[in-house]
Amino acid sequence: MTGAEGVKTTCPYCGVGCGIAAAVQAGGSVQISGDETHPANLGRLCSKGAALAETIDLEGRLLYPEMGGERCTWDTALDAIAQNFARIIREQGPDAVAFYVSGQLLTEDYYVANKLMKGFIGSANIDTNSRLCMASSVAGHKRAFGSDTVPCCYEDLELADLIVLAGSNTAWCHPVLFQRIAHARKSNPRLKIVVIDPRRTATCDIADLHLALRSGSDAALFNGLLGYLHVNGRRDDAYIRAHTEGVEAAVNSALVSVPGADAAALQCGLDATQVQAFFDLFAATEKTVTVYSQGVNQSSSGTDKVNAIINCHLLTGRIGRPGMGPFSFTGQPNAMGGREVGGLANQLAAHMELEIPEHRARVQRFWQSPVIADKPGLKAVDMFRALGEGKIKAIWIMATNPVVSLPDADAACKALQSCEFVAVSDCVRHTDTTAYGHVLLPAAAWGEKDGTVTNSERRISRQRKFLPAPGEARPDWWIIAQVAKRMGYTHAFNYSSPAQIFNEHAALSGFENDGARDFDISGLCGLDEAAYDTLPPTQWPVVQPGSAGTQRLFGDGQFYTPLGKARFIPVTPRDPRHPVDQAYPMVLNTGRVRDHWHTLTRTGKSARLSSHTYEPYAELHPQDAEPLGIRQHDLISVTSRLGSVTLRAMLNDAQLPGNVFVPMHWNDQFAAQARVDALVHPVVDPVSGQPESKHTPVRVSAYRPRWHGFLLSRRKLALHDVSYWARARGVELWRYELAGETQPGDWSAWARALLCAPKDSENDRVAWIDYLDRGAGCYRGARLLNQRLESCLFVAPGPELPSRSWLMELFALKRALTNAERNSLLAARPLAAVEDAGATVCACFNVGRNTLLRAIQRDGLHSVEAIGQRLKAGTNCGSCIPELKALIAQTVKQCA
Ligand SMILES: Nc1nc2c(c(=O)[nH]1)N[C@H]1C(S)=C(S)[C@@H](COP(=O)(O)OP(=O)(O)OC[C@H]3O[C@@H](n4cnc5c(=O)[nH]c(N)nc54)[C@H](O)[C@@H]3O)O[C@H]1N2
Ligand SMILES: Nc1nc2c(c(=O)[nH]1)N[C@H]1C(S)=C(S)[C@@H](COP(=O)(O)OP(=O)(O)OC[C@H]3O[C@@H](n4cnc5c(=O)[nH]c(N)nc54)[C@H](O)[C@@H]3O)O[C@H]1N2
Ligand code: SF4
Ligand SMILES: [Mo]
């Protein structure tokens, strides 16, 4: 669909699923704006969506197939996969091969991969990174509803009088929904917000109540709530009788395990009055939505946490009606689509079950396939364990980077290293995972392929192509179908467009479905190419052709269990001291930062997005840091029984004492030793198999190198002799933070060896300015090329180094440096006073912390609106508003 604003498509990042208009300009650049007609965002975008144009250049792209590290033809690469898979299946059986796929595949890609593995190879060894993401929600939904159904829609957030955000840093991870909630709060004074998170996050900015509960104790809190609602006469008995089963067992289990608000407070490490306030608010508010995300799912008791939440909604009958319900926010753009096609190892397609013989027979009949998998395959963590043990001989990884994102990530490296045959489909040439691929397949990226994705409110939206695929990149569905054909399944994989695949998927959803399965989009079946192309964003189910879709589910009290009733699940909260390890006394919590996406393959390309957090860090409470001799911005080691990382210490009281928070994003492409999943234990939830990414026992210690430094360079550099480095994109430069254990004998020679480009032409005018204070252990050097700053290195014995801001601005200049600028280089600031902007807070308008502090202190701008008017900060995507408020609050408090 092309309009005046460009092609309408969907954001490739989070599960909010915002609509985007992408317009290719005359010069080839792309302009991105929010699609005002898309119901998810109505024109809004967050910082990541707004910066998409900065991430689609071809630098670092995988453009051609490769085998054994050499470029090869598509035929060679595809034959190699088909032949190796076929041979291993012949010799060892179908369970000796596996696919590891991703919630970032489009539904059509995902459908084809699942069909090939389950219906033609005949194994269910296809699992997905959604196992690390949504598996506990899926398992909790199925236990309670008999189906993996999200009953709510975004509008419920606007209709609610209470929104509970459990284990969700909505402000950073679902920013447009956060904006919708913040907006609703302004227009509805009754709306109260409760945040349940061990950390005080940016989301707490709009919270009326923040419960900083002990890590992992959510099931105790919601069990306490269930008992409280029961005891205080808040049961909706008519609803319970008509539409649910198992209430007494769940209530008894709650009353025994957590008898009352005081017991909940004790088990969760909370203040009893706060818990009481939460229970009272929940009890009194009919229109309550409970949102949950990874603080709930990524836990060894994740499924129980989900059911403890759902139990409270069932007991009060608050489900399926406007403004209420349990609402899982999905992470990836197509986490939901993956569930619909059955991309998890324990599912069949179109919400049918592997364990049910009639379902298997039905899918096989529909696919007319030679076989059908008859038992669940291996879940992600088990799959990589089996790879390491040599039970799986060949794996094909698509659209995910498991060497970074799986728990016990070093074991994943070893497993891939020892595996007989590894194929990787990715858009990027060098990732921590492509390093292990025998065959690399260049996938078409966002903007280059067509298909559909489903967002958190079950809304199916089109991703539309607006750029040609570069080099020999091909869409994932095409690559998979090519391999399937070469394995002999030509007839079943003879697709020529994603529309054909979508039609087949839609037909399967309605096949012999007399209302027994929630996922039914047969009303979208039979779309021709033109109708597929113009498909408007639609919420499933869509049973009748021409239907506008379904906003909410379960309004009729009918569920997908054998009796048609929702099930209460008795929950026994785990031991709050879990796990105990004296040698590793702290709890490692991991998650996301505002402007980065996962393993940095995309957001790491944008200078704007990299400026908010440019270095891997660990946040901890000053009370924990002090006895360890750790000061603000020191380097530290965080170590578990499995591994160790080196990071920058950020001390703040937003963490609970005893907790350390480390972002999940950094990896071997961006830092020396910051792949945090190398530390995370592969402990999984017993029901869902989802890993516990938020709770690993660790210890923390100061890391004291001999020197610290930073380096700015127009070229990407290979660093030797440094024990710590982290790199980030800047405008026209790479920024490196450095530290080393050995001092070079001659700093100046070291700097020249590192920074001199091998291919400066004879006509280039190179100049060096440097300065060494041997006694103080300081070195500063700058290299100019044709009178522009080419690179500079600053070294000191401690982490206190000059601000990088002004130097970074010089790289963006298109002209020669002035004499004054040259003379100021080694001071790292203009000798004539120009104010230093400081670290970026507003990425959209590049407004720095110091500029904001000056505006607040000196110019008396004490509201977000006033700052917005003067500096524009916070007026575009709004992602930085929580930080602006925190700066105002902090500065005003200091002045008072
Ligand atoms: N900026 C950005 N946004 C993203 C992504 C990204 O990479 N970057 N990724 C997307 C994806 S795939 C996902 S899955 C979502 C994730 O979205 P979220 O789940 O919101 O993000 P996380 O930061 O992983 O974790 C959320 C919070 O859980 C808290 N937590 C830890 N342990 C517990 C606990 O025991 N109980 C409770 N109640 N809370 C706990 C953490 O402190 C953290 O603040 O984000 C999506 N959006
Ligand atoms: N410690 C810790 N670990 C975690 C988490 C956590 O909170 N803490 N969160 C977990 C969660 S929720 C998630 S979702 C995962 C995410 O972890 P990953 O899925 O491993 O991370 P991504 O960087 O999104 O990897 C996607 C890869 O696919 C490539 N790609 C992008 N588009 C396409 C495409 O169209 N086709 C193909 N073939 N490739 C493409 C990208 O270049 C990239 O290499 O991490 C999990 N791991
Ligand atoms: S909230 Fe941001 S990242 Fe998520 S879909 Fe919308 S624009 Fe993309
Ligand atoms: Mo995720």
Side-chain angles (χ1 to χ4, degrees):
M1 266 203 340
T2 314
E5 339 64 6
V7 174
K8 286 190 176 170
T9 182
T10 315
C11 177
Y13 294 124
C14 83
V16 179
C18 295
I20 279 184
V24 182
Q25 312 291 91
S29 67
V30 171
Q31 193 178 346
I32 297 289
S33 53
D35 174 0
E36 287 174 7
T37 64
H38 197 289
N41 57 319
L42 302 169
R44 298 179 180 98
L45 290 179
C46 77
S47 48
K48 292 184 301 302
L52 269 165
E54 292 160 42
T55 64
I56 54 185
D57 66 82
L58 297 186
E59 191 189 328
R61 277 290 292 272
L62 175 64
L63 294 173
Y64 304 97
E66 284 186 23
M67 199 156 82
E70 304 283 333
R71 179 171 168 181
C72 67
T73 63
W74 267 111
D75 278 333
T76 309
L78 296 166
D79 283 342
I81 300 179
Q83 285 162 11
N84 277 292
F85 269 69
R87 175 181 54 79
I88 291 166
I89 293 164
R90 210 168 44 241
E91 290 167 4
Q92 318 260 345
D95 292 331
V97 299
F99 293 167
Y100 184 56
V101 302
S102 162
Q104 289 166 81
L105 289 174
L106 305 184
T107 299
E108 293 73 4
D109 306 324
Y110 229 137
Y111 176 86
V112 179
N114 188 55
K115 179 178 177 184
L116 174 58
M117 185 52 90
K118 292 192 180 129
F120 289 79
I121 292 176
S123 166
N125 276 346
I126 170 169
D127 210 38
T128 139
N129 63 0
S130 284
R131 181 70 59 195
L132 321 177
C133 181
M134 304 316 307
S136 298
S137 281
V138 174
H141 291 158
K142 281 178 152 180
R143 288 207 300 195
F145 310 142
S147 58
D148 176 19
T149 313
V150 175
C152 298
C153 61
Y154 295 161
E155 196 191 72
D156 290 327
L157 301 169
E158 277 128 14
L159 298 174
D161 291 325
L162 170 64
I163 300 176
V164 181
L165 300 165
S168 161
N169 185 6
T170 326
W172 282 9
C173 296
H174 296 93
V176 165
L177 292 182
F178 182 77
Q179 288 177 37
R180 283 180 71 160
I181 296 172
H183 200 259
R185 194 162 168 268
K186 278 194 184 146
S187 49
N188 173 10
R190 285 192 312 276
L191 174 57
K192 294 275 182 285
I193 315 269
V194 178
V195 173
I196 302 173
D197 192 314
R199 297 192 298 151
R200 193 176 64 245
T201 61
T203 306
C204 297
D205 181 47
I206 56 163
D208 297 282
L209 183 62
H210 169 214
L211 300 177
L213 83 178
R214 176 182 288 139
S215 163
S217 64
D218 305 70
L221 184 67
F222 283 94
N223 256 14
L225 175 61
L226 189 74
Y228 186 85
L229 296 167
H230 165 82
V231 169
N232 289 282
R234 292 293 173 169
R235 290 168 56 134
D236 181 343
D237 277 311
Y239 186 87
I240 294 171
R241 261 194 313 277
H243 302 302
T244 71
E245 50 182 319
V247 67
E248 299 316 329
V251 167
N252 285 341
S253 172
L255 290 173
V256 169
S257 59
V258 193
D262 286 352
L266 198 67
Q267 293 186 28
C268 301
L270 290 166
D271 185 65
T273 51
Q274 275 196 323
V275 173
Q276 187 69 47
F278 169 51
F279 287 4
D280 285 339
L281 205 51
F282 196 104
T285 317
E286 174 81 349
K287 288 188 174 173
T288 294
V289 174
T290 308
V291 169
Y292 47 98
S293 192
Q294 299 316 340
V296 167
N297 293 337
Q298 288 173 337
S299 162
S300 58
S301 62
T303 311
D304 275 353
K305 288 183 181 186
V306 169
N307 286 113
I309 291 170
I310 295 174
N311 284 345
C312 296
H313 280 269
L314 293 176
L315 194 85
T316 47
R318 295 177 192 159
I319 187 165
R321 287 184 286 145
M324 57 187 87
F327 198 172
S328 139
F329 279 1
T330 50
Q332 299 176 91
N334 203 27
M336 290 284 270
R339 286 146 72 170
E340 290 148 23
V341 303
L344 290 158
N346 53 328
Q347 289 182 332
L348 210 47
H351 283 200
M352 281 177 271
E353 300 297 331
L354 265 171
E355 283 89 350
I356 302 178
E358 298 84 63
H359 286 191
R360 290 201 301 269
R362 181 182 303 134
V363 176
Q364 186 172 9
R365 209 163 37 247
F366 180 85
W367 280 340
Q368 300 183 4
S369 64
V371 282
I372 191 88
D374 60 1
K375 61 176 187 308
L378 294 173
K379 299 179 178 138
V381 172
D382 292 335
M383 180 183 279
F384 276 78
R385 192 173 290 131
L387 204 65
E389 289 166 353
K391 293 178 184 151
I392 291 178
K393 309 276 181 202
I395 188 165
W396 186 358
I397 298 166
M398 309 176 201
T400 176
N401 195 355
V403 168
V404 186
S405 53
L406 273 181
D408 197 2
D410 285 348
C413 297
K414 287 200 197 89
L416 289 173
Q417 210 159 23
S418 66
C419 181
E420 196 177 315
F421 184 76
V422 179
V424 182
S425 301
D426 206 295
C427 315
V428 171
R429 173 60 189 87
H430 294 286
T431 73
D432 292 4
T433 301
T434 57
Y436 297 95
H438 298 111
V439 174
L440 301 184
L441 303 158
W446 180 75
E448 301 160 4
K449 60 195 273 195
D450 275 298
T452 54
V453 290
T454 310
N455 73 3
S456 296
E457 59 165 359
R458 289 173 280 103
R459 193 180 293 281
I460 299 171
S461 292
R462 277 294 317 272
Q463 273 202 15
R464 296 186 177 89
K465 178 174 170 158
F466 58 89
L467 292 170
E472 293 181 3
R474 297 280 183 277
D476 289 284
W477 66 265
W478 182 90
I479 305 175
I480 304 158
Q482 285 294 321
V483 169
K485 286 189 203 172
R486 282 158 212 253
M487 290 176 79
Y489 311 125
T490 309
H491 185 65
F493 290 88
N494 221 356
Y495 302 113
S496 55
S497 73
Q500 266 182 7
I501 303 168
F502 183 83
N503 273 316
E504 185 179 312
H505 165 59
L508 175 55
S509 76
F511 185 60
E512 300 174 8
N513 185 355
D514 45 6
R517 307 196 305 268
D518 62 339
F519 180 69
D520 186 341
I521 54 165
S522 50
L524 299 177
C525 190
L527 300 182
D528 60 18
E529 297 285 340
Y532 178 72
D533 203 37
T534 52
L535 180 68
T538 311
Q539 282 171 291
W540 65 256
V542 193
V543 183
Q544 298 304 326
S547 141
T550 313
Q551 206 179 9
R552 277 179 204 91
L553 285 164
F554 302 146
D556 58 359
Q558 287 303 300
F559 294 85
Y560 293 90
T561 54
L563 295 179
K565 292 183 167 191
R567 285 184 292 235
F568 281 91
I569 304 295
V571 169
T572 306
R574 72 177 189 191
D575 181 344
R577 289 160 308 169
H578 155 99
V580 186
D581 191 336
Q582 302 300 347
Y584 298 88
M586 296 187 71
V587 172
L588 171 68
N589 176 11
T590 61
R592 290 149 173 85
V593 304
R594 191 189 80 185
D595 286 354
H596 273 313
W597 178 260
H598 296 167
T599 70
L600 306 178
T601 60
R602 291 182 274 173
T603 50
K605 293 178 129 204
S606 157
R608 198 149 50 119
L609 295 179
S610 301
S611 64
H612 181 254
T613 321
Y614 49 82
E615 196 180 17
Y617 65 86
E619 281 181 301
L620 64 160
H621 197 281
Q623 206 172 300
D624 291 320
E626 210 216 310
L628 299 168
I630 296 168
R631 289 153 310 179
Q632 188 69 291
H633 303 147
D634 276 354
L635 287 173
I636 58 172
S637 300
V638 182
T639 308
S640 78
R641 287 200 182 274
L642 296 176
S644 186
V645 286
T646 311
L647 312 159
R648 191 70 62 189
M650 308 286 253
L651 311 185
N652 61 49
D653 65 2
Q655 318 304 310
L656 286 178
N659 287 19
V660 199
F661 177 82
V662 178
M664 63 165 292
H665 308 288
W666 275 267
N667 55 70
D668 295 356
Q669 311 301 314
F670 287 84
Q673 205 185 348
R675 212 157 27 86
V676 74
D677 268 302
L679 272 59
V680 175
H681 289 186
V683 173
V684 300
D685 177 88
V687 185
S688 69
Q690 177 156 357
E692 180 154 68
S693 317
K694 304 255 184 281
H695 193 116
T696 296
V698 292
R699 66 178 141 74
V700 171
S701 54
Y703 172 67
R704 303 236 181 273
R706 295 265 311 274
W707 59 271
H708 293 253
F710 71 83
L711 194 163
L712 307 174
S713 165
R714 287 192 196 273
R715 284 183 303 125
K716 200 164 147 185
L717 298 168
L719 296 167
H720 309 287
D721 314 326
V722 296
S723 48
Y724 172 85
W725 62 267
R727 107 178 131 78
R729 203 79 179 96
V731 178
E732 308 263 321
L733 62 88
W734 286 99
R735 168 184 186 159
Y736 294 85
E737 298 296 324
L738 306 174
E741 285 174 21
T742 49
Q743 295 249 18
D746 180 344
W747 271 112
S748 187
W750 191 83
R752 280 162 207 255
L754 180 66
L755 300 178
C756 282
K759 51 180 191 299
D760 293 339
S761 89
E762 296 213 337
N763 300 329
D764 285 333
R765 281 175 295 153
V766 177
W768 270 94
I769 310 176
D770 65 353
Y771 154 89
L772 174 71
D773 182 341
R774 204 179 295 278
C778 292
Y779 172 80
R780 295 178 177 196
R783 180 170 183 272
L784 285 86
L785 190 65
N786 301 325
Q787 301 180 40
R788 291 176 74 207
L789 183 55
E790 174 66 18
S791 51
C792 59
L793 171 69
F794 283 66
V795 173
E800 299 79 21
L801 286 150
S803 162
R804 290 82 169 145
S805 316
W806 181 71
L807 290 167
M808 287 172 70
E809 284 168 23
L810 297 184
F811 281 84
L813 298 178
K814 300 279 178 243
R815 55 162 173 80
L817 296 188
T818 62
N819 277 344
E821 284 161 348
R822 273 177 81 115
N823 293 340
S824 307
L825 278 177
L826 297 191
R829 62 186 164 76
L831 295 177
V834 166
E835 286 167 334
D836 171 16
T840 307
V841 175
C842 169
C844 296
F845 296 109
N846 194 19
V847 185
R849 187 185 151 85
N850 295 345
T851 309
L852 289 163
L853 287 176
R854 280 190 292 269
I856 301 166
Q857 282 163 350
R858 203 172 60 192
D859 307 338
L861 305 183
H862 288 178
S863 71
V864 170
E865 290 73 20
I867 290 179
Q869 270 174 15
R870 175 82 61 87
L871 300 169
K872 290 174 96 177
T875 57
N876 184 39
C877 78
S879 295
C880 64
I881 288 177
E883 279 155 273
L884 296 181
K885 285 196 186 163
L887 274 181
I888 296 169
Q890 174 196 328
T891 318
V892 173
K893 199 164 93 194
Q894 275 167 7
C895 298

